[in-house]
Amino acid sequence: MTRTGRGAGGRAGDARRPAAGAAPGVQPYYARAAEALAERYESVRFETVHRDFLPLLPAAPARVADIGAGTGRDAAALAALGHDVLAVEPVAELRAVGRRLHPTPAIRWHADSLPALPGIEDREGSFDLILLSAVWMHLEAPARPVAMRRLHTLLAPGGRLLLSLRHGPPPADRRMYDIPAPETTALATRHGLSPLQESTGTDALGRADIHWSHLAFEKERT
């Protein structure tokens, strides 16, 4: 998925096939372009791309899931802060690049994809933080409620979901949707996630026709 500062990052599975697997028009592109995209992803720092989210990060050590981890730039930055990170990436070629670029035991790589994330079992536990950086925009409308419900389940009480949305013309080589921030906020609210923060920003890669929404939510505490 095209991410602020990491170009195409996380990928979402096909809503009609909840098991992990290639989504037409999405994952094949990232598989072909993995090496080239890695240079783009790694060219901008985590702290630059996610500066609006930095005050919302949990104290270390926390259990973190980076959904659509790409080549692991964000996962590596979170691991360096002292967190235990599950990097969820459905594209084998990107996982291979990520393991090579960021060889740390603090990152556990996992092949899976939204909307259902079927491979994340209960033993993976509840996460204090889930990062979805430029992932949501690949989900078809019917898949979004399924995905939000699953993300709510995976979060610990008081856990936070940090989500970025890409706005602008979609590329011709993969499926992508310009999803309004209010729609996403309303969906999260319906699934028990309270809005914490919303901000907008320009594209860290300098693309004039692309801008981003950065949304933060928190699960109810019990």
PDB file of all heavy atoms in Angstrom, residues 90-104:
ATOM      1  N   PRO A  90       1.596  -9.764   3.966  1.00  0.00           N
ATOM      2  CA  PRO A  90       1.196 -10.917   3.150  1.00  0.00           C
ATOM      3  C   PRO A  90       2.116 -11.234   1.978  1.00  0.00           C
ATOM      4  O   PRO A  90       2.073 -12.349   1.471  1.00  0.00           O
ATOM      5  CB  PRO A  90      -0.194 -10.512   2.644  1.00  0.00           C
ATOM      6  CG  PRO A  90      -0.174  -9.033   2.638  1.00  0.00           C
ATOM      7  CD  PRO A  90       0.670  -8.626   3.808  1.00  0.00           C
ATOM      8  N   VAL A  91       2.943 -10.289   1.556  1.00  0.00           N
ATOM      9  CA  VAL A  91       3.765 -10.488   0.363  1.00  0.00           C
ATOM     10  C   VAL A  91       5.133 -11.056   0.761  1.00  0.00           C
ATOM     11  O   VAL A  91       5.908 -10.401   1.464  1.00  0.00           O
ATOM     12  CB  VAL A  91       3.934  -9.174  -0.418  1.00  0.00           C
ATOM     13  CG1 VAL A  91       4.831  -9.375  -1.636  1.00  0.00           C
ATOM     14  CG2 VAL A  91       2.570  -8.643  -0.851  1.00  0.00           C
ATOM     15  N   ALA A  92       5.413 -12.270   0.308  1.00  0.00           N
ATOM     16  CA  ALA A  92       6.647 -12.958   0.704  1.00  0.00           C
ATOM     17  C   ALA A  92       7.885 -12.174   0.312  1.00  0.00           C
ATOM     18  O   ALA A  92       8.879 -12.148   1.049  1.00  0.00           O
ATOM     19  CB  ALA A  92       6.688 -14.350   0.082  1.00  0.00           C
ATOM     20  N   GLU A  93       7.845 -11.538  -0.839  1.00  0.00           N
ATOM     21  CA  GLU A  93       9.012 -10.791  -1.303  1.00  0.00           C
ATOM     22  C   GLU A  93       9.318  -9.607  -0.388  1.00  0.00           C
ATOM     23  O   GLU A  93      10.488  -9.303  -0.123  1.00  0.00           O
ATOM     24  CB  GLU A  93       8.774 -10.312  -2.742  1.00  0.00           C
ATOM     25  CG  GLU A  93       8.758 -11.422  -3.784  1.00  0.00           C
ATOM     26  CD  GLU A  93       7.426 -12.147  -3.879  1.00  0.00           C
ATOM     27  OE1 GLU A  93       6.500 -11.848  -3.084  1.00  0.00           O
ATOM     28  OE2 GLU A  93       7.294 -13.026  -4.751  1.00  0.00           O
ATOM     29  N   LEU A  94       8.295  -8.950   0.105  1.00  0.00           N
ATOM     30  CA  LEU A  94       8.520  -7.845   1.036  1.00  0.00           C
ATOM     31  C   LEU A  94       8.993  -8.351   2.388  1.00  0.00           C
ATOM     32  O   LEU A  94       9.850  -7.734   3.028  1.00  0.00           O
ATOM     33  CB  LEU A  94       7.248  -7.018   1.188  1.00  0.00           C
ATOM     34  CG  LEU A  94       6.850  -6.157  -0.020  1.00  0.00           C
ATOM     35  CD1 LEU A  94       5.510  -5.486   0.224  1.00  0.00           C
ATOM     36  CD2 LEU A  94       7.911  -5.113  -0.335  1.00  0.00           C
ATOM     37  N   ARG A  95       8.454  -9.468   2.842  1.00  0.00           N
ATOM     38  CA  ARG A  95       8.927 -10.039   4.110  1.00  0.00           C
ATOM     39  C   ARG A  95      10.410 -10.382   4.013  1.00  0.00           C
ATOM     40  O   ARG A  95      11.178 -10.165   4.964  1.00  0.00           O
ATOM     41  CB  ARG A  95       8.124 -11.279   4.497  1.00  0.00           C
ATOM     42  CG  ARG A  95       6.664 -11.005   4.833  1.00  0.00           C
ATOM     43  CD  ARG A  95       6.045 -12.181   5.591  1.00  0.00           C
ATOM     44  NE  ARG A  95       6.196 -13.447   4.903  1.00  0.00           N
ATOM     45  CZ  ARG A  95       5.371 -13.910   3.962  1.00  0.00           C
ATOM     46  NH1 ARG A  95       4.328 -13.179   3.579  1.00  0.00           N
ATOM     47  NH2 ARG A  95       5.559 -15.083   3.402  1.00  0.00           N
ATOM     48  N   ALA A  96      10.822 -10.922   2.882  1.00  0.00           N
ATOM     49  CA  ALA A  96      12.230 -11.292   2.709  1.00  0.00           C
ATOM     50  C   ALA A  96      13.125 -10.057   2.766  1.00  0.00           C
ATOM     51  O   ALA A  96      14.182 -10.062   3.412  1.00  0.00           O
ATOM     52  CB  ALA A  96      12.413 -12.024   1.383  1.00  0.00           C
ATOM     53  N   VAL A  97      12.692  -8.986   2.121  1.00  0.00           N
ATOM     54  CA  VAL A  97      13.467  -7.746   2.172  1.00  0.00           C
ATOM     55  C   VAL A  97      13.502  -7.208   3.591  1.00  0.00           C
ATOM     56  O   VAL A  97      14.546  -6.760   4.084  1.00  0.00           O
ATOM     57  CB  VAL A  97      12.872  -6.705   1.207  1.00  0.00           C
ATOM     58  CG1 VAL A  97      13.575  -5.360   1.380  1.00  0.00           C
ATOM     59  CG2 VAL A  97      13.000  -7.165  -0.237  1.00  0.00           C
ATOM     60  N   GLY A  98      12.370  -7.255   4.276  1.00  0.00           N
ATOM     61  CA  GLY A  98      12.314  -6.751   5.635  1.00  0.00           C
ATOM     62  C   GLY A  98      13.225  -7.496   6.588  1.00  0.00           C
ATOM     63  O   GLY A  98      13.907  -6.890   7.429  1.00  0.00           O
ATOM     64  N   ARG A  99      13.254  -8.810   6.466  1.00  0.00           N
ATOM     65  CA  ARG A  99      14.141  -9.599   7.327  1.00  0.00           C
ATOM     66  C   ARG A  99      15.608  -9.261   7.045  1.00  0.00           C
ATOM     67  O   ARG A  99      16.434  -9.250   7.959  1.00  0.00           O
ATOM     68  CB  ARG A  99      13.897 -11.087   7.103  1.00  0.00           C
ATOM     69  CG  ARG A  99      12.577 -11.601   7.680  1.00  0.00           C
ATOM     70  CD  ARG A  99      12.510 -13.120   7.601  1.00  0.00           C
ATOM     71  NE  ARG A  99      11.292 -13.645   8.204  1.00  0.00           N
ATOM     72  CZ  ARG A  99      10.229 -14.046   7.518  1.00  0.00           C
ATOM     73  NH1 ARG A  99      10.239 -13.974   6.189  1.00  0.00           N
ATOM     74  NH2 ARG A  99       9.166 -14.518   8.146  1.00  0.00           N
ATOM     75  N   ARG A 100      15.909  -8.991   5.790  1.00  0.00           N
ATOM     76  CA  ARG A 100      17.294  -8.662   5.435  1.00  0.00           C
ATOM     77  C   ARG A 100      17.693  -7.270   5.937  1.00  0.00           C
ATOM     78  O   ARG A 100      18.789  -7.087   6.465  1.00  0.00           O
ATOM     79  CB  ARG A 100      17.455  -8.721   3.920  1.00  0.00           C
ATOM     80  CG  ARG A 100      18.903  -8.554   3.453  1.00  0.00           C
ATOM     81  CD  ARG A 100      19.022  -8.563   1.944  1.00  0.00           C
ATOM     82  NE  ARG A 100      18.602  -7.291   1.355  1.00  0.00           N
ATOM     83  CZ  ARG A 100      17.656  -7.161   0.441  1.00  0.00           C
ATOM     84  NH1 ARG A 100      16.986  -8.222   0.004  1.00  0.00           N
ATOM     85  NH2 ARG A 100      17.353  -5.974  -0.050  1.00  0.00           N
ATOM     86  N   LEU A 101      16.795  -6.315   5.798  1.00  0.00           N
ATOM     87  CA  LEU A 101      17.123  -4.946   6.177  1.00  0.00           C
ATOM     88  C   LEU A 101      17.062  -4.717   7.684  1.00  0.00           C
ATOM     89  O   LEU A 101      17.782  -3.864   8.214  1.00  0.00           O
ATOM     90  CB  LEU A 101      16.174  -3.974   5.480  1.00  0.00           C
ATOM     91  CG  LEU A 101      16.265  -3.878   3.961  1.00  0.00           C
ATOM     92  CD1 LEU A 101      15.223  -2.903   3.431  1.00  0.00           C
ATOM     93  CD2 LEU A 101      17.665  -3.449   3.525  1.00  0.00           C
ATOM     94  N   HIS A 102      16.205  -5.469   8.365  1.00  0.00           N
ATOM     95  CA  HIS A 102      15.978  -5.229   9.789  1.00  0.00           C
ATOM     96  C   HIS A 102      16.054  -6.549  10.564  1.00  0.00           C
ATOM     97  O   HIS A 102      15.053  -7.049  11.078  1.00  0.00           O
ATOM     98  CB  HIS A 102      14.614  -4.571   9.986  1.00  0.00           C
ATOM     99  CG  HIS A 102      14.423  -3.330   9.185  1.00  0.00           C
ATOM    100  ND1 HIS A 102      15.107  -2.161   9.437  1.00  0.00           N
ATOM    101  CD2 HIS A 102      13.632  -3.079   8.094  1.00  0.00           C
ATOM    102  CE1 HIS A 102      14.743  -1.232   8.573  1.00  0.00           C
ATOM    103  NE2 HIS A 102      13.855  -1.759   7.740  1.00  0.00           N
ATOM    104  N   PRO A 103      17.251  -7.128  10.663  1.00  0.00           N
ATOM    105  CA  PRO A 103      17.415  -8.437  11.304  1.00  0.00           C
ATOM    106  C   PRO A 103      17.470  -8.337  12.829  1.00  0.00           C
ATOM    107  O   PRO A 103      18.530  -8.460  13.439  1.00  0.00           O
ATOM    108  CB  PRO A 103      18.749  -8.930  10.728  1.00  0.00           C
ATOM    109  CG  PRO A 103      19.525  -7.662  10.500  1.00  0.00           C
ATOM    110  CD  PRO A 103      18.520  -6.614  10.110  1.00  0.00           C
ATOM    111  N   THR A 104      16.328  -8.114  13.441  1.00  0.00           N
ATOM    112  CA  THR A 104      16.276  -8.006  14.892  1.00  0.00           C
ATOM    113  C   THR A 104      15.289  -9.018  15.453  1.00  0.00           C
ATOM    114  O   THR A 104      14.202  -9.206  14.886  1.00  0.00           O
ATOM    115  CB  THR A 104      15.860  -6.581  15.332  1.00  0.00           C
ATOM    116  OG1 THR A 104      15.551  -6.587  16.737  1.00  0.00           O
ATOM    117  CG2 THR A 104      14.641  -6.093  14.572  1.00  0.00           C
TER     118      THR A 104
END
